[in-house]
Amino acid sequence: MAHVSLRVSDQEKAMMESYANLHGVSLSEAVKEAFFEKLEDEYDLKLIAEYEANPPTRTYSHEEVGKMLGIK
């Protein structure tokens, strides 16, 4: 398994440890989770921006989809 280190101030480390303790995880796990959540959020925002820039030409209501699927 790879090892990553980063430099933070004593105050930042204390805040990070408090957050990890509050959520019952190790400092390493808290940092890893925060990083990947941020990455996922940015990806989601990119997809939304792309969708809004090129919206579909046709959308369907819930009722229309239900009829198409034969459930309404």
Side-chain angles (χ1 to χ4, degrees):
M1 183 178 290
H3 179 87
V4 175
S5 64
L6 60 132
R7 297 182 195 281
V8 296
S9 69
D10 290 338
Q11 183 180 10
E12 290 168 333
K13 182 181 180 208
M15 290 173 63
M16 293 165 72
E17 288 174 332
S18 292
Y19 177 85
N21 290 334
L22 179 67
H23 292 281
V25 297
S26 68
L27 177 56
S28 177
E29 188 64 26
V31 171
K32 191 165 42 171
E33 283 181 19
F35 172 80
F36 284 109
E37 283 181 21
K38 174 73 172 163
L39 191 65
E40 184 177 329
D41 289 346
E42 287 186 15
Y43 179 72
D44 290 344
L45 290 172
K46 178 181 175 255
L47 291 179
I48 291 168
E50 289 173 2
Y51 173 84
E52 289 176 340
N54 301 302
T57 56
R58 174 74 167 104
T59 59
Y60 300 91
S61 69
H62 284 89
E63 292 78 21
E64 290 172 309
V65 172
K67 288 178 186 175
M68 295 165 112
L69 296 173
I71 56 177
K72 278 198 170 194

